[in-house]
Amino acid sequence: MVKITRRSVLMTGAGAAAMLAAPGILRAKSYATQPVRLFVGTAAAGSNDLVARLIAGPLEAMIGQPVVVENRPGGATTLAVGLVANAKPDGHTLLVSSAAAIATYVASVTKPPSLVDDLSHVAMICDGAFIYAVHKDVKAENTRDFISLLKSSPGKLRYGATGTGGGIHLSGALFQQKTGTEMKVIQYANAGMRLTDLLANQTQLGIAGAAVLAQQINSGALRPLFVAGTERVNLFPNVPTGAEEGIGGLEGISNWFGLHGPKNMPPQISADLHGMVQKALEDAKVKEGLAAAGFFTTPGPREELVTRLETDTVLTKDLVKTTGIKIE
């Protein structure tokens, strides 16, 4: 299982030490009367899990009840969406979502619970671009070389994803569409299996959050090509963006995360939680932890999350239609 570096340290922000870990975060008058369950739609040690555990500590300090992160992988994040959608809308059951849940819903033939339509939307937490990196033995020193290699042998090189129609799958599909190239996608049950095959050169291209591939890039096992965002990332300031390499529009699929509750959650509870998230995003430990993982905080009104959900849905529908990606 692949673990993000420093995760064990970041987890100490939760639990009884939360108040000490977040000085300056004051406990608000809380709605909570029992522990709060914070669901994550992926296994432990991924980016979604990291983000949830980072904000759990400050939220716990403000709510005044334990905030327990529960990993419920399944259905490419839709299992967790469904569990929260069917929970009592009293603020005791929440979800840290990722963009993958939108893609999964749009690409599904039989529709699972919808992140957009079946939940309340509280706040954006953070955003981050995918980084593209190739195995060290791939004969491509840069993005231009890689595109030429793909065009010389269409369909022979492979990239790994975790979930048909998920963010990584769609990012790779969008890259192929933008560059006129062809690759084969290999689906994996989790990020650990995906990385194992990438390091063994069973797949040649890795697409992931910057922190997920940081150790392997720094060791020379992988060679970074570009960042699929509008700005370079702090972890790899010398790695250009896709736009700098002549591939615009890849930033439309990014590695963002938000907080949600069941639909029809009382407006005051949603407002209280939104305020708590804003305070949590001001905490130095949260900022440092997210930056170390290649993310930046996205404080702002609830409407920014709603807008992101809407724009991602439109983009994903167009991409699914043109590529023919389906989840049966």
Side-chain angles (χ1 to χ4, degrees), residues 150 153-158 182-184:
L150 290 174
S153 51
K156 291 188 178 180
L157 273 68
R158 312 194 296 181
E182 183 182 343
M183 290 184 289
K184 183 176 182 180

Side-chain angles (χ1 to χ4, degrees), residues 100-113:
I102 293 179
T104 300
Y105 177 80
V106 171
S108 294
V109 175
T110 34
K111 296 301 184 188

Side-chain angles (χ1 to χ4, degrees), residues 100 103 107 130 132 159-176 183-187 194 207 253 319-320 323-327:
F130 289 119
Y132 279 54
Y159 75 99
T162 44
T164 300
I168 292 173
H169 186 187
L170 291 183
S171 183
L174 185 59
F175 169 80
Q176 293 171 78
M183 290 184 289
K184 183 176 182 180
V185 61
I186 306 298
Q187 296 292 350
R194 190 180 78 229
I207 305 171
I253 299 175
L319 187 57
V320 166
T323 59
I325 293 172
K326 290 182 181 180
I327 302 175

Side-chain angles (χ1 to χ4, degrees), residues 116-135:
V116 177
D117 298 328
D118 297 330
L119 297 180
S120 295
H121 311 306
V122 176
M124 283 283 286
I125 298 172
C126 63
D127 201 350
F130 289 119
I131 193 168
Y132 279 54
V134 293
H135 188 273

Side-chain angles (χ1 to χ4, degrees), residues 129-133 206-211 213 217 224-228 233 236 239:
F130 289 119
I131 193 168
Y132 279 54
I207 305 171
L213 301 181
I217 290 173
L225 298 179
F226 64 88
V227 173
V233 298
F236 301 105
V239 176

